[in-house]
């Protein structure tokens, strides 16, 4: 499972001001901590920065790529097309990921050529501007549109991460299992299987804080069991990282050894 670290985000109380003041240190420290936590891809989330978007994304990309190893992917998270392009232009050795396009044909006609030009992976939301997806079937129809446009614009299907769009449990309880089923079915749309991604925190948005980790860990277990490829989540949360690795062991994707969590939780005293 690729964990796309979520904490470099304009909404954060410490990182938001640092982004606006172009204060590199707190952002670079957080980027290094996210990598140390086990993330190989960092989300850089501008939020709804409209006017300053391109300059801010350009600065953010330069700031983070200066701090972390070239092998770490940068996931540019903005709805602002100009900001996305400005960020992609200054990516040097790091492999970029576009976050995100939706499944509108005219939007795909803008983002897919960008993915091709900048040799980027791309997250595609299985929804259109017509509204949030109703069920698994609607998401699969949108995925087919996305895949068709990728092929039309010469973007390899292995570069696409399909995002079913997770809705909050308190808002759309019936939808949680639709998302799990969607993750299963996305894989059947191609051989090799299509990749998938979710924003994990969406599931517990709007619930009391003491329920966040319980829903996060449990939903992660269900999605990982169903074959989820990637998640935008908190790589500083060691328990979450341990849950992810444990599912990998249970799925026989990683060899079990008594010490399998030592790199995450630290070595235990000899029993
Ligand atoms: N799919 C895709 N991209 C996404 C989402 C998705 N990007 C945004 C979001 N959903 C996932 N990213 C975040 C980023 C930060 C937090 C939650 C989800 C978060 N941030 C603060 C923190 O760092 O603690 C808290 C901010 C607050 O006070 O609200 O929790 O679904 N493709």
């Amino acid at each position: 499972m690729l964990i796309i670290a979520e904490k470099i985000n304009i909404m954060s109380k410490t990182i938001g001001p640092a982004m606006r003041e172009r204060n590199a240190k707190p952002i670079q420290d957080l980027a290094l901590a996210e990598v140390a936590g086990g993330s190989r891809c960092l989300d850089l989330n501008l939020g709804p920065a409209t006017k300053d978007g391109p300059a801010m994304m350009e600065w953010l990309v330069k700031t983070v790529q200066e701090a972390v190893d070239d092998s770490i992917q940068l996931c540019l998270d903005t709805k602002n097309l100009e900001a996305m392009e400005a960020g992609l232009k200054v990516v040097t050795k790091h492999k970029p990921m576009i976050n995100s396009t939706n499944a509108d044909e005219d939007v795909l006609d803008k983002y897919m050529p960008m993915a091709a030009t900048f040799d980027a992976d791309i997250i595609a939301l299985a929804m259109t501007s017509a509204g949030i997806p109703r069920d698994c079937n609607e998401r699969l129809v949108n995925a087919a549109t996305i895949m068709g446009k990728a092929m039309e614009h010469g973007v390899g299907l292995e570069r696409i991460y399909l995002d079913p769009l997770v809705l909050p449990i308190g808002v759309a309880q019936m939808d949680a299992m639709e998302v799990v089923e969607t993750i299963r079915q996305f894989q059947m749309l191609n051989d090799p299987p299509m990749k998938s991604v979710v924003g994990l925190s969406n599931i517990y948005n709007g619930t009391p804080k003491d329920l966040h980790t319980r829903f996060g860990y449990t939903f992660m277990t269900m999605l990982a069991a169903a074959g989820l490829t990637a998640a935008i989540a908190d790589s500083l949360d060691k328990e979450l990282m341990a849950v992810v690795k444990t599912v990998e062991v249970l799925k026989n994707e990683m060899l079990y050894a008594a010490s399998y969590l030592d790199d995450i939780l630290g070595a235990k005293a000899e029993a």
Side-chain angles (χ1 to χ4, degrees):
M1 172 95 58
L2 176 69
I3 299 296
I4 304 172
E6 73 183 5
K7 282 197 126 62
I8 300 179
N9 190 309
I10 193 103
M11 288 173 312
S12 152
K13 280 199 284 291
T14 51
I15 296 305
M19 280 188 198
R20 282 183 285 264
E21 292 158 16
R22 306 292 195 265
N23 178 11
K25 184 76 166 45
I27 295 169
Q28 292 178 329
D29 288 350
L30 178 56
L32 289 169
E34 287 182 317
V35 171
S39 175
R40 308 293 303 158
C41 180
L42 310 183
D43 198 63
L44 309 180
N45 188 338
L46 285 197
T50 42
K51 200 163 152 286
D52 192 31
M56 194 184 278
M57 186 59 96
E58 186 183 320
W59 177 82
L60 195 55
V61 165
K62 286 181 176 168
T63 298
V64 172
Q65 72 183 358
E66 218 169 78
V68 301
D69 189 272
D70 292 349
S71 65
I72 302 300
Q73 243 186 308
L74 302 180
C75 181
L76 281 55
D77 191 345
T78 175
K79 295 274 170 286
N80 179 334
L81 193 78
E82 287 73 39
M84 184 65 72
E85 187 155 29
L88 289 170
K89 276 186 178 155
V90 295
V91 173
T92 50
K93 291 179 184 147
H94 299 72
K95 187 172 172 193
M97 189 183 292
I98 294 170
N99 187 11
S100 54
T101 178
N102 67 11
D104 286 352
E105 299 210 7
D106 59 322
V107 176
L108 287 162
D109 282 332
K110 295 192 179 89
Y111 280 93
M112 287 299 173
M114 216 182 254
T117 301
F118 293 97
D119 204 15
D121 288 344
I122 179 165
I123 296 177
L125 300 167
M127 64 177 290
T128 65
S129 52
I132 56 169
R134 216 175 309 277
D135 54 19
C136 176
N137 266 334
E138 208 170 298
R139 290 174 167 101
L140 291 169
V141 168
N142 290 331
T145 305
I146 291 160
M147 293 166 67
K149 281 292 179 188
M151 290 187 278
E152 185 184 323
H153 292 289
V155 174
L157 295 180
E158 75 287 348
R159 296 227 198 130
I160 298 174
Y161 287 80
L162 295 170
D163 185 336
L165 187 72
V166 172
L167 302 173
I169 190 70
V171 172
Q173 190 173 347
M174 291 190 307
D175 199 56
M177 281 311 293
E178 293 290 326
V179 166
V180 174
E181 182 59 21
T182 303
I183 295 303
R184 257 183 229 296
Q185 302 230 12
F186 276 167
Q187 294 163 82
M188 298 172 194
L189 296 175
N190 194 39
D191 186 11
M194 291 301 289
K195 294 173 181 168
S196 57
V197 64
V198 299
L200 186 66
S201 68
N202 292 18
I203 195 68
Y204 54 73
N205 264 344
T207 68
K209 189 119 181 116
D210 59 303
L211 294 178
H212 287 188
T213 56
R214 191 174 307 281
F215 272 104
Y217 301 161
T218 307
F219 200 43
M220 174 58 96
T221 304
M222 295 164 71
L223 293 167
L228 184 70
T229 316
I232 305 168
D234 183 7
S235 69
L236 303 183
D237 181 345
K238 293 183 175 183
E239 280 303 321
L240 177 68
M241 301 307 279
V243 164
V244 169
K245 200 164 181 189
T246 302
V247 178
E248 285 168 357
V249 168
L250 285 165
K251 291 181 80 178
N252 196 30
E253 292 166 357
M254 175 166 292
L255 188 63
Y256 168 77
S259 60
Y260 84 101
L261 289 177
D262 285 1
D263 61 329
I264 299 173
L265 303 180
K268 303 186 281 287
E270 200 81 29

